[in-house]
Amino acid sequence: MVQKMTSLFEVDNLHVAYRSQAGGDFPALAGVSFHMQAGETLGVLGESGSGKSTLAAALLRLLPANGRIQKGAVRFESEDLLQKQARELEKIRGSRIGLIFQEPSLALHPMIRVRDQIKNVISAHESLDRRALQQKTLNILTALFSEEAKRIGDSYPHQLSGGQRQRALIAQTIACGPLLLVADEPTASLDPSTQQEILALLRTLRLQLNLAMMLISHSPAVLAGFADRILVLYAGRVAETGPAEEVLKSPQHPYTRALLACLPPSIALSPTRKSKLPVIAGESPHLAQLAKGCQFEPRCGERMGVCIEKEPAEVMLSKSHGVSCFKYGG
Ligand code: ATP
Ligand code: MG
């Protein structure tokens, strides 16, 4: 694994499975490890079905009923969240660790005004008197909505635009001063200019609050210029991880290369890309059909004999850049 100092957040050999209706366990995450320092942004990149949302949910023990963490550790400030009592974990969720989802409507209560939703979050974690609570709520609303703070605070979620709803959710999420924000495709449901606006807001908050951020996206273009490091997931495994510049400009895993080659020319990150827009041949594997060997092998243009025999181990190309591919040893 990548060399680490004392980390704010450490995930170690995380395995998650979903139980099918027939009763079998299908592995959605297999041996995911990474760490994050305070104030650092980790971009999690992968195609649909690669396990990004499963990872976000597992980290906070919010998996659906048929999802199970089979083994691993999730350490936040050196304490394993997987070993905590539900009540202890609830205290951490929403205060020290915030979560933002793709669709803010699912996280906001439709029948409660935005102001009261923010108040409810604060009073669940802090004991403030009425005035202090009102003042704190107003400060947060003003920070995120400036002169519109009062109107937005008085509104119900359905009276807001998609971008405003995402801002309202972000306001709730940062209300108790988290150290870590997990954002699962936070801009995917927004139009391109609102996407940029929300990304700019997250960038500002990250700096102002020294937030560590896990930004999940299927789009390298969203992560470029935002993430400090990138973790590429494929079929629930870490294919590649390293400094964002290095991974995006000089990807080493055949899967990362293929993902980046699919970017439209207007947002190309590598000068060596061809002008015709390729797609990655084949489909990401279904959990029920995972074979032994490297999961990317059936779609890989650089496959070798060994790739169907066993899974590649992570090879460190430098102190901070790891690749799980037999091309580099494995
Ligand atoms: P997307 O980009 O589409 O959001 P993702 O990378 O977030 O995809 P996940 O939603 O984590 O992917 O899904 C990972 C795998 O787990 C997929 O194969 C998916 O079909 C499967 N999966 C997700 N939720 C469940 C569930 N509740 N029961 C069974 N399988 C599930
Ligand atoms: Mg997802």
Side-chain angles (χ1 to χ4, degrees):
M1 205 185 116
V2 173
Q3 192 195 339
K4 54 190 175 189
M5 297 176 276
T6 311
S7 303
L8 174 73
F9 194 57
E10 265 181 49
V11 174
D12 193 11
N13 196 27
L14 188 65
H15 289 248
V16 171
Y18 286 114
R19 179 143 289 193
S20 72
Q21 282 181 340
D25 276 345
F26 298 126
L29 296 179
V32 172
S33 299
F34 63 89
H35 62 96
M36 293 172 69
Q37 310 298 334
E40 185 180 41
T41 297
L42 178 73
V44 177
L45 180 65
E47 283 172 297
S48 184
S50 56
K52 305 181 297 297
S53 296
T54 301
L55 177 61
L59 299 180
L60 289 170
R61 288 176 32 202
L62 290 171
L63 286 167
N66 68 330
R68 197 163 60 86
I69 295 174
Q70 296 175 306
K71 62 175 169 173
V74 176
R75 290 185 208 96
F76 178 67
E77 296 189 300
S78 307
E79 292 188 80
D80 191 350
L81 301 184
L82 303 185
Q83 303 303 326
K84 289 213 170 285
Q85 301 289 327
R87 282 191 61 175
E88 281 181 294
L89 188 66
E90 261 168 38
K91 275 195 212 151
I92 296 175
R93 264 195 317 241
S95 62
R96 323 292 308 274
I97 306 179
L99 249 178
I100 307 175
F101 297 102
Q102 171 173 342
E103 189 34 79
S105 313
L106 298 178
L108 292 169
H109 196 296
M111 312 287 277
I112 302 179
R113 290 179 204 275
V114 167
R115 173 183 293 101
D116 293 333
Q117 302 204 40
I118 297 174
K119 270 192 201 162
N120 290 347
V121 171
I122 300 172
S123 42
H125 295 285
E126 294 174 25
S127 42
L128 298 179
D129 64 36
R130 214 172 118 248
R131 267 187 97 170
L133 181 60
Q134 261 168 357
Q135 189 56 51
K136 183 160 185 174
T137 307
L138 181 64
N139 292 349
I140 290 163
L141 278 166
T142 307
L144 292 214
F145 293 102
S146 343
E147 63 274 14
E148 287 207 286
K150 184 175 176 330
R151 181 180 70 79
I152 303 275
D154 286 342
S155 303
Y156 291 97
H158 75 268
Q159 295 171 316
L160 306 179
S161 69
Q164 287 168 336
R165 274 200 288 271
Q166 193 57 286
R167 266 178 190 262
L169 181 59
I170 292 171
Q172 229 185 56
T173 309
I174 61 159
C176 295
L179 297 173
L180 170 68
L181 207 64
V182 177
D184 187 1
E185 308 254 13
T187 60
S189 65
L190 306 172
D191 64 63
S193 72
T194 315
Q195 271 186 16
Q196 290 312 315
E197 191 198 296
I198 294 293
L199 286 174
L201 170 68
L202 290 175
R203 199 177 271 125
T204 307
L205 291 174
R206 175 182 75 159
L207 294 174
Q208 279 175 351
L209 308 175
N210 193 33
L211 273 176
M213 198 177 290
M214 182 189 287
L215 179 60
I216 294 176
S217 180
H218 61 272
S219 161
V222 166
L223 300 180
F226 199 114
D228 300 310
R229 286 192 301 125
I230 301 267
L231 180 141
V232 183
L233 270 187
Y234 186 78
R237 278 98 176 141
V238 179
E240 181 163 2
T241 177
E245 278 259 310
E246 241 173 271
V247 173
L248 295 175
K249 291 218 171 113
S250 166
Q252 299 299 314
H253 195 288
Y255 173 61
T256 321
R257 287 194 187 155
L259 259 185
L260 289 164
C262 295
L263 276 184
S266 59
I267 46 173
L269 297 161
S270 157
T272 57
R273 277 189 0 80
K274 300 186 196 88
S275 57
K276 194 164 166 245
L277 196 62
V279 290
I280 309 179
E283 285 176 11
S284 48
H286 295 289
L287 299 186
Q289 296 160 358
L290 297 183
K292 82 173 196 199
C294 172
Q295 300 305 325
F296 189 57
E297 180 275 334
R299 303 169 79 188
C300 183
E302 301 178 61
R303 71 175 76 86
M304 303 179 287
V306 65
C307 305
I308 52 168
E309 287 164 18
K310 53 180 183 169
E311 285 216 36
E314 185 180 47
V315 177
M316 296 310 295
L317 303 179
S318 71
K319 227 164 69 178
S320 56
H321 192 162
V323 185
S324 301
C325 175
F326 287 113
K327 263 176 73 181
Y328 305 95

